[in-house]
Amino acid sequence: MPEHTLLLRERAMAIHQRIAEVLRPVARGSEDTDLRALFAASLNNLANRLSALGRREPALAAAEEASALYRELAAARPDAFRPDLAMSLNNLANFLSDLGRREPAL
């Protein structure tokens, strides 16, 4: 979804937020790694959309949740989920840095 105007950024964030809300209760109790990975990706997307709107604290919270999920997935299936974990940790470090939390970002 385009994000060149504030109105479109707000709408894109709302869509990603709704996707995460729908997936959260289903994915949290599931053993299905694909479903859990989809939820983690939705949180990562939400974090990026929130960050684009300057909502740094909620972006950080979504990024932390996504990273925690990817850690679990990568522990179970490293070859499949290590790249996603790396991307998620990179985003997390960027959001921490944006908030001036440089040491945790490292």
Side-chain angles (χ1 to χ4, degrees):
M1 176 174 245
E3 54 183 77
H4 298 292
T5 68
L6 187 55
L7 179 62
L8 292 176
R9 285 182 191 172
E10 287 281 349
R11 186 70 182 136
M13 185 277 302
I15 290 168
H16 286 284
Q17 189 169 38
R18 182 68 182 132
I19 291 168
E21 288 171 359
V22 168
L23 289 174
R24 177 174 274 112
V26 179
R28 275 300 184 184
S30 178
E31 298 284 328
D32 183 344
T33 57
D34 291 333
L35 179 60
R36 295 177 75 220
L38 181 62
F39 177 49
S42 76
L43 288 169
N44 219 24
N45 290 334
L46 176 59
N48 287 324
R49 297 299 184 171
L50 286 163
S51 179
L53 289 167
R55 299 180 188 171
R56 292 188 173 120
E57 290 291 341
L60 176 60
E64 287 173 334
E65 190 174 1
S67 295
L69 279 167
Y70 278 129
R71 281 183 202 275
E72 293 171 15
L73 292 165
R77 292 179 43 205
D79 291 342
F81 294 110
R82 194 175 296 139
D84 294 321
L85 174 59
M87 173 200 54
S88 178
L89 291 172
N90 184 64
N91 287 344
L92 180 59
N94 288 335
F95 298 142
L96 286 165
S97 181
D98 288 345
L99 288 165
R101 297 170 58 188
R102 307 249 189 289
E103 287 298 317
L106 286 174

